[in-house]
Amino acid sequence: RLLKPGTLFSLTALLITYFSADALRLHFTLRALGHRLNAAVLARLVFINLFFSNVTPMATGGGFAQIWYLHKHGVPIGTATAATTIRTLLAVIFIFSLTPVFLLSLAVFEGRAISGNVGIALTFFILLYLGFFAVLLLRTRWLMAPLAKMLTGLWRLKLISAERHRHWQFKAKREMLRFSASFGDYLRGQPMCIALSVLLTAVFLLSLFSFPALLLHSLGYTVDYLTSLGLLVVTTFIMYFSPTPGASGISEGVFGSFFRDILTPSHLLLVIVAWRFLTIYLGMLIGLVVMQRELMRQRRAKP
């Protein structure tokens, strides 16, 4: 059933929407910050992010990889960091706002521990996560002192030279100030670019959360779309706090727990594998190829 032409066409269309919206939400965020990259660079950036996000704990590698790649294409480190942070923050606002709504409104969560004691723990994590972003946005200068001390420690341990220590201190402060100023630049950017960055973030998330609903429909299940959407929102929320690379193991377990009353055991396994392959592993495989080609291109460019 999943290999029928109609199903494959629908999944392909949803994949194109998913990847395109991911690229365009960063594109318009950068446009609001006064930078523009061509389509090929943005496309490669999407898959490089997918690869590194899913091989590092809590998706930390994706942000660093994007900053490195943006810097390679002329975007200052501070601005690149701000662009990736804003892009992540927009998605976090959507997911963290909707999670409590679905936890309290969906019948599938009635009587479950996730809406009781675990719900309290999730509330704590929400506040912790948003507090971290609040410091980044409103008190960026607080981060300068720890960064300066870390560089000084490296110099005292003789891991870096005095000249490099001075250079990195200057560069770190400059990029931190640029990072702090970029949030104001974003809000003062072109209103159309800001609106499109928010809208395309919503489109990206909606397409991401729609894969299970499409898979269930293709297998002949009659499941309310809003229920499927809500279960994926909560699943993705929990994945944000997973210490495993790409939330491996945890995402499958949470997904299986939520959908076990809807699907038969054999179909449940099939949908989990198809969902993870389409939304994660396919992009990772493409990202691996793209990253290898980028490294080969840079190696050839060196004299």
Side-chain angles (χ1 to χ4, degrees), residues 127-271:
L127 295 175
L128 188 66
Y129 212 85
L130 294 180
F132 169 72
F133 278 110
V135 171
L136 279 180
L137 291 169
L138 305 174
R139 293 292 183 269
T140 308
R141 292 175 182 270
W142 288 2
L143 303 175
M144 287 186 181
L147 185 58
K149 287 180 180 178
M150 183 186 74
L151 292 173
T152 301
L154 292 175
W155 169 62
R156 286 176 176 170
L157 292 171
K158 301 190 183 301
L159 296 175
I160 59 175
S161 64
E163 182 181 353
R164 182 162 292 184
H165 173 244
R166 287 193 298 271
H167 174 70
W168 283 6
Q169 286 279 16
F170 168 76
K171 196 169 184 179
K173 289 179 181 178
R174 183 189 66 187
E175 295 301 335
M176 288 293 285
L177 290 171
R178 187 175 280 161
F179 170 77
S180 179
S182 292
F183 292 103
D185 294 340
Y186 173 78
L187 295 175
R188 290 189 297 270
Q190 296 180 30
M192 181 61 72
C193 292
I194 296 172
L196 285 172
S197 67
V198 175
L199 176 63
L200 286 160
T201 299
V203 172
F204 164 75
L205 292 173
L206 191 63
S207 59
L208 172 63
F209 299 149
S210 295
F211 280 98
L214 180 53
L215 293 170
L216 292 175
H217 176 73
S218 301
L219 291 171
Y221 288 90
T222 309
V223 179
D224 178 59
Y225 175 73
L226 196 60
T227 298
S228 175
L229 183 73
L231 292 175
L232 256 293
V233 169
V234 179
T235 300
T236 305
F237 170 79
I238 294 172
M239 288 167 63
Y240 267 88
F241 305 100
S242 169
T244 59
S248 298
I250 292 176
S251 59
E252 291 87 351
V254 173
F255 186 97
S257 173
F258 289 168
F259 283 87
R260 66 187 178 190
D261 296 330
I262 299 172
L263 295 157
T264 62
S266 57
H267 281 170
L268 179 61
L269 180 60
L270 176 64
V271 169

Side-chain angles (χ1 to χ4, degrees), residues 36-56:
R36 183 194 294 265
L37 296 176
N38 64 51
V41 172
L42 283 168
R44 291 195 291 269
L45 189 58
V46 166
F47 295 111
I48 289 172
N49 174 47
L50 273 170
F51 174 73
F52 280 100
S53 292
N54 291 287
V55 296
T56 52

Side-chain angles (χ1 to χ4, degrees), residues 3-20:
L3 296 177
K4 284 182 177 180
T7 301
L8 291 177
F9 176 80
S10 299
L11 289 172
T12 302
L14 191 56
L15 271 173
I16 292 172
T17 304
Y18 170 56
F19 291 137
S20 299

Side-chain angles (χ1 to χ4, degrees), residues 49-174:
N49 174 47
L50 273 170
F51 174 73
F52 280 100
S53 292
N54 291 287
V55 296
T56 52
M58 297 185 75
T60 49
F64 289 112
Q66 288 178 92
I67 293 164
W68 165 78
Y69 195 70
L70 287 169
H71 185 55
K72 288 287 183 184
H73 287 84
V75 181
I77 291 175
T79 307
T81 306
T84 56
T85 303
I86 291 167
R87 191 191 72 159
T88 302
L89 183 59
L90 291 174
V92 164
I93 289 171
F94 275 111
I95 293 169
F96 283 30
S97 300
L98 290 173
T99 295
V101 175
F102 285 122
L103 280 173
L104 295 173
S105 62
L106 290 182
V108 69
F109 290 121
E110 288 183 8
R112 289 204 179 205
I114 196 166
S115 58
N117 295 331
V118 178
I120 297 172
L122 293 180
T123 302
F124 170 76
F125 280 121
I126 288 176
L127 295 175
L128 188 66
Y129 212 85
L130 294 180
F132 169 72
F133 278 110
V135 171
L136 279 180
L137 291 169
L138 305 174
R139 293 292 183 269
T140 308
R141 292 175 182 270
W142 288 2
L143 303 175
M144 287 186 181
L147 185 58
K149 287 180 180 178
M150 183 186 74
L151 292 173
T152 301
L154 292 175
W155 169 62
R156 286 176 176 170
L157 292 171
K158 301 190 183 301
L159 296 175
I160 59 175
S161 64
E163 182 181 353
R164 182 162 292 184
H165 173 244
R166 287 193 298 271
H167 174 70
W168 283 6
Q169 286 279 16
F170 168 76
K171 196 169 184 179
K173 289 179 181 178
R174 183 189 66 187

